[in-house]
């Protein structure tokens, strides 16, 4: 489906979405013979993908020693809380499959969300090996994203000054606009955008209203997120697509 600087790929349902996302991740892994950095997301949509990556078919294809796993946003809760985004990814697949040193959670045992954000930024900079992004050397091979019912992405909510952050890589967010109403820690648009591919997963009939607004070009956070110099791809399922965009 044609769009400005992003590709929109329609898939039948959440199972096909997970397969498409897994294959795109495999293509990024196969295209990089060195150290690979993947940035995961929270929410419910990626859980299908996480289960698939743990299945024999994918588990045996992933060079686990070379892949590092980050998270694009986190709820400011302990990692063993059911609300933790990285905690959920660990429970579903990372703890069974990935070396512990390759899992990079947001340190939510920090004193507060801002301290946690600073510590995660330091960890990202140390992994990247520089304090500034070079456009020709993206931080991540692939960044997974979702879009919330208010158009937020990661923990960047409509109207929040964090959306305009240009210098910091990670910031604390005092309150979320949607459940769970806990403080958040989120990567900023420049950090999320430092990737070869930014891959959104948007699925389900409850997403149709916000997807319609996003496809109409409203200035909402999910519409402001782009890979800087790489590809931006939206996987959307039939249930989420507005009727006039189906079959395109
Ligand atoms: C979070 C997320 C959030 C999520 C979207 C979409 O912490 O909740 O990272 O940004 O990706 O809200 O979530 P769903 O996949 O549940 O629709």
């Amino acid at each position: 489906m044609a769009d400005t600087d992003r590709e929109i790929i329609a898939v039948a349902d959440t199972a096909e979405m997970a397969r498409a996302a897994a294959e795109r991740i495999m293509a990024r892994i196969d295209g990089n013979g060195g150290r690979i950095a993947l940035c995961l997301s929270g929410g419910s949509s990626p859980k299908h993908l996480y289960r698939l990556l743990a299945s024999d078919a994918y588990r045996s294809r992933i060079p686990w020693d070379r892949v590092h796993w980050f998270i694009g946003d986190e709820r400011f809760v302990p990692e063993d809380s059911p609300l933790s985004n990285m905690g959920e990814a660990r429970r579903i697949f990372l703890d069974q499959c990935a070396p512990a040193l390759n899992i990079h959670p947001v340190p939510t045992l920090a004193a507060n969300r801002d301290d946690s954000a600073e510590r995660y930024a330091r960890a990202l900079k140390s992994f990247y090996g520089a304090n500034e992004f070079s456009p020709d050397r993206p931080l991540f091979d692939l960044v997974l994203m979702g879009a919330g019912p208010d158009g937020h992405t990661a923990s960047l909510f409509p109207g929040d000054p964090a959306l305009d952050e240009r210098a910091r890589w990670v910031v604390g967010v005092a309150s979320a606009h949607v459940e769970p109403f806990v403080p958040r820690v989120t990567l900023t648009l420049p950090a999320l955008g430092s990737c070869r591919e930014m891959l959104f997963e948007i699925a389900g009939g409850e997403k149709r209203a916000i997807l319609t607004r996003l496809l109409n070009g409203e200035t909402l956070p999910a519409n402001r997120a782009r890979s800087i110099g790489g590809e931006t791809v939206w996987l959307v399922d039939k249930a989420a697509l507005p009727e006039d965009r189906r079959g395109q």
Side-chain angles (χ1 to χ4, degrees), residues 195-247:
C195 61
R196 295 182 198 285
E197 176 169 341
M198 181 178 283
L199 181 64
F200 278 80
E201 288 192 303
I202 304 177
E206 66 284 0
K207 289 288 165 69
R208 198 181 308 162
I210 192 62
L211 185 59
T212 305
R213 292 175 59 193
L214 289 165
L215 294 176
N216 285 340
E218 271 190 55
T219 313
L220 291 163
N223 265 349
R224 292 181 57 181
R226 287 283 188 286
S227 161
I228 300 157
E231 279 183 84
T232 303
V233 176
W234 286 25
L235 294 176
V236 299
D237 80 344
K238 286 261 154 48
L241 264 183
E243 289 194 7
D244 61 346
R245 309 274 298 222
R246 291 187 199 169

Side-chain angles (χ1 to χ4, degrees), residues 41-46 72-75 83 85 145-150 152-157 178-180 184 201 203 206-207:
S41 74
S44 51
S45 311
D73 75 307
E74 189 53 275
R75 290 95 180 257
L83 296 179
N85 286 337
M145 303 276 267
D150 57 349
H152 80 260
T153 191
S155 281
L156 296 164
F157 295 95
V178 295
E179 284 189 0
R184 312 285 185 106
E201 288 192 303
E206 66 284 0
K207 289 288 165 69

